[in-house]
Amino acid sequence: MMTDAAALAGRHLDLVSAPFTLPRSRVLVFREGDGVRVHTSEYERRLTECRVLDRLTVSDADGQVLPVTDVLPGRITFGEAPDPTATLTFADPSTLSLGGTADLTVRLELPDGSVWRHPLGDGIRIRIAADRSVTVEPGDHDAALAATDRIWSDWFAKCPTVRDDLQEMTAFCWWVLGANIVELPSLGDARAIVPSKIGYVGLWQWDAYFIAVGLRHGDPELAREQLEIAFRFPQPDGQLPDVVHEEGVLATSDDLPESDRANLRRAGSQIADPSAPVPLTKPPLAAWALRKVLEAEDAPDWAREQLGRVIRSQDWWFAGSDLDHDGMPEYGHPYSSGLDDSPIFDGPLPTAAPDLGAYLVRQDLEIAGLLARYEPGADLTRFAARAAATQELLLEMWDAERGRFLAAGGGEVQLSDTIVGLMPLLTGTLPEPIAEGLRAAVDDPERFALAWGLPTVAASDPEFSAERMWRGPVWVNTNVLVAEGLEASGYADRARELREQTVALVIHGGGPHEYFNPRTGQKARTATTAFGWSAALFIDLAVTLSG
């Protein structure tokens, strides 16, 4: 299984959308003409700012450059046997190893314009320092190949086995999760699976939940570690931070550079003080993810410890984010919703949104279920009562005339028809006419029933854009949540259809991209590739559909 999975994943390692890297490494290798280029992956820095080598090429004794001919998780091959060949691999997370046959030479082009040439001999190592400086030294290339192969062998041994038609993409998605592991030195030996080493180097709370849900099928211990990192740094009032990164946490606008703060402290709110720090978090799906991870492998003592933090976070939403004191918490800033660019935030802040109401109802119910399991005798009444009260307020967002749930920004109703209006299905307890109205919306080709899944803004809405982030493209996570809502609301067959459509989308689109054009099923132009939660949720869907 391991060897097969590694080979299957290798079919997608094009060094363009999927770079060559190693679990725990911050080094990325991309194709560059007839060679490769090398970058580091750093928090809040673009790849262009993190150049290590502008180009690395290998030449034979006649000066002919050997092209890249094969890429596997553990090595890049230059040239074709029986002619001279070379391979590139890792000696350790910050060191590349290069070796080959005959009289081969490596040429390194550095960002400062200098060019280095080195004979490969028995192998060389390219050591990359924290400041991106490079040193070259001799090294045992065969040992490096063996060590890297062992790392990937151990990783792919855990790859879930799924339906034959889903196995190749599952293997690639499992590679994505392994490739996106980084160390966070400030947390000791913590292993965070980042959304992408291309631009998203940190552990975002929401991403950690989705990643853990997929990861649990092959590595439940590492799945628990993702949740533990997300829960590790609550604010004094219980709020969980938006991001945990190598330099600390991002929990309020004061944790950002001053240049960003003016954009966060938006004018227009009648309630929130625009001069005060804005809490930054992510939607309350913590208990949902915790329950799913514990289904894969029980850990009672750990569960009780984490559950206490989840409860405090849930309480914070009602105590610290009910900004108009009407009983229904609001998003104080779009960042906290996860759907930053949704048109529901085009109006003033704070925003009361049906997805947040649905998540809060679901989280209180999930907490009650977890307490019943891990804290027998605990009083569950306040969670059940709060869920019921929140649902009543959620139902007030239903616009019967328009047949959809509507958000309200700063007290002003936002008419945009977006996917957040489908999330109340997650409660599983909507009145039948409303649940049926949402199912009809899912099936309406003028609104959400597009060829490649549910657009994040209805196709009939004036704000719909097939390419613009959160304004039309399909996201795997929103499809997954709506599918779960359909199932919870009694539409199991329709839920399975949406899950099948979602895995077909990822396969058709060539991989687990950040988001997809709903008309073509291809990666949207500005979307990131090898995206963590898309990979993890594809795996979760593949396992579910193979059961």
Side-chain angles (χ1 to χ4, degrees):
M1 171 62 199
M2 177 282 302
T3 303
D4 290 346
L8 291 173
R11 296 177 184 176
H12 297 268
L13 302 186
D14 58 3
L15 304 184
V16 178
S17 61
F20 183 70
T21 189
L22 185 74
R24 295 178 176 263
S25 177
R26 297 297 188 92
V27 177
L28 303 175
V29 180
F30 294 88
R31 191 181 297 270
E32 182 65 33
D34 51 7
V36 297
R37 71 179 189 277
V38 181
H39 298 257
T40 53
S41 179
E42 302 176 28
Y43 179 65
E44 290 295 288
R45 288 185 180 274
R46 298 177 183 274
L47 282 179
T48 52
E49 301 176 73
C50 303
R51 294 184 299 157
V52 175
L53 296 174
D54 284 351
R55 189 162 61 165
L56 179 159
T57 55
V58 180
S59 301
D60 63 18
D62 296 325
Q64 295 296 311
V65 173
L66 307 183
V68 172
T69 53
D70 191 33
V71 184
L72 290 171
R75 67 188 68 192
I76 297 173
T77 300
F78 301 83
E80 291 273 12
D83 295 325
T85 62
T87 52
L88 177 71
T89 190
F90 281 86
D92 61 52
S94 61
T95 307
L96 294 169
S97 178
L98 196 61
T101 59
D103 298 323
L104 300 180
T105 300
V106 61
R107 184 178 191 268
L108 307 178
E109 299 177 19
L110 280 70
D112 64 5
S114 59
V115 176
W116 300 354
R117 291 179 175 83
H118 294 270
L120 286 189
D122 293 327
I124 64 169
R125 294 188 173 181
I126 303 169
R127 203 170 292 279
I128 301 165
D131 63 0
R132 295 180 229 113
S133 62
V134 171
T135 57
V136 179
E137 58 193 43
D140 186 340
H141 185 61
D142 288 341
L145 283 170
T148 300
D149 282 346
R150 278 194 301 273
I151 290 170
W152 282 115
S153 175
D154 291 345
W155 179 251
F156 279 108
K158 301 174 182 178
C159 181
T161 301
V162 297
R163 232 168 53 189
D164 287 350
D165 62 314
L166 302 178
Q167 190 64 59
E168 179 176 324
M169 186 55 68
T170 296
F172 179 47
C173 288
W174 193 249
W175 174 87
V176 169
L177 296 183
N180 283 345
I181 296 173
V182 303
E183 292 179 337
L184 297 176
S186 62
L187 304 184
D189 60 354
R191 301 168 296 169
I193 298 183
V194 301
S196 173
K197 285 182 179 175
I198 308 171
Y200 292 96
V201 188
L203 185 136
W204 273 257
Q205 184 194 145
W206 216 27
D207 298 69
Y209 299 158
F210 296 127
I211 287 169
V213 165
L215 191 61
R216 66 185 170 136
H217 296 295
D219 197 334
E221 179 183 359
L222 189 53
R224 290 195 299 272
E225 188 169 351
Q226 305 316 295
L227 298 187
E228 186 173 332
I229 296 171
F231 301 157
R232 190 181 297 186
F233 301 99
Q235 300 298 287
D237 56 8
Q239 176 216 332
L240 292 173
D242 186 0
V243 189
V244 178
H245 54 86
E246 58 206 22
E247 299 171 11
V249 301
L250 173 61
T252 81
S253 55
D254 281 350
D255 297 325
L256 290 167
E258 183 59 39
S259 59
D260 291 343
R261 296 180 193 179
N263 293 331
L264 291 172
R265 298 171 181 171
R266 291 175 54 179
S269 171
Q270 302 302 307
I271 300 161
D273 178 359
S275 67
V278 179
L280 300 177
T281 186
K282 279 293 182 283
L285 286 169
W288 172 82
L290 182 60
R291 187 254 305 166
K292 285 180 175 286
V293 167
L294 290 165
E295 286 174 350
E297 182 177 274
D298 204 7
D301 291 341
W302 179 84
R304 282 186 281 271
E305 179 183 0
Q306 306 311 320
L307 185 54
R309 294 170 179 167
V310 172
I311 291 171
R312 289 191 66 226
S313 170
Q314 177 78 344
D315 290 343
W316 169 81
W317 278 100
F318 290 91
S321 203
D322 179 11
L323 300 172
D324 59 2
H325 309 292
D326 68 347
M328 173 63 83
E330 294 89 25
Y331 291 124
H333 189 272
Y335 282 13
S336 294
S337 76
L339 283 71
D340 311 5
D341 297 324
S342 173
I344 69 168
F345 298 112
D346 287 353
L349 292 171
T351 301
D355 63 327
L356 178 56
Y359 300 147
L360 290 166
V361 171
R362 181 66 179 261
Q363 177 134 290
D364 267 328
L365 298 176
E366 296 277 11
I367 287 171
L370 289 166
L371 282 173
R373 179 176 177 180
Y374 294 107
E375 299 281 3
D379 183 5
L380 310 181
T381 55
R382 81 175 180 101
F383 302 104
R386 188 165 62 188
T390 306
Q391 177 147 326
E392 286 302 310
L393 293 171
L394 174 61
L395 291 174
E396 293 179 9
M397 297 183 187
W398 176 251
D399 185 315
E401 182 178 349
R402 291 183 173 85
R404 62 179 186 260
F405 281 94
L406 295 175
E412 299 177 9
V413 173
Q414 303 298 303
L415 298 179
S416 298
D417 188 10
T418 76
I419 202 161
V420 303
L422 302 179
M423 294 305 170
L425 287 165
L426 282 166
T427 65
T429 53
L430 294 176
E432 185 176 349
I434 294 179
E436 183 59 29
L438 296 186
R439 185 207 58 77
V442 170
D443 288 339
D444 186 347
E446 298 299 316
R447 294 175 66 191
F448 292 102
L450 300 193
W452 291 105
L454 306 176
T456 39
V457 171
S460 56
D461 191 279
E463 293 299 322
F464 171 81
S465 167
E467 289 282 326
R468 189 174 170 188
M469 187 175 185
W470 293 122
R471 289 180 177 252
V474 177
W475 290 68
V476 174
N477 68 323
T478 49
N479 269 16
V480 164
L481 290 172
V482 173
E484 185 152 328
L486 287 166
E487 185 169 41
S489 298
Y491 306 108
D493 290 345
R494 185 65 183 89
R496 186 177 181 90
E497 290 173 5
L498 180 54
R499 289 167 178 146
E500 292 281 7
Q501 185 181 36
T502 305
V503 295
L505 166 69
V506 175
I507 293 170
H508 171 79
H513 308 308
E514 187 179 13
Y515 48 96
F516 299 78
N517 184 306
R519 301 291 195 195
T520 67
Q522 298 298 314
K523 182 184 86 68
R525 183 178 55 82
T526 56
T528 297
T529 58
F531 195 69
W533 84 33
S534 298
L537 293 175
F538 180 94
I539 293 166
D540 188 58
L541 290 172
V543 171
T544 298
L545 293 169
S546 302

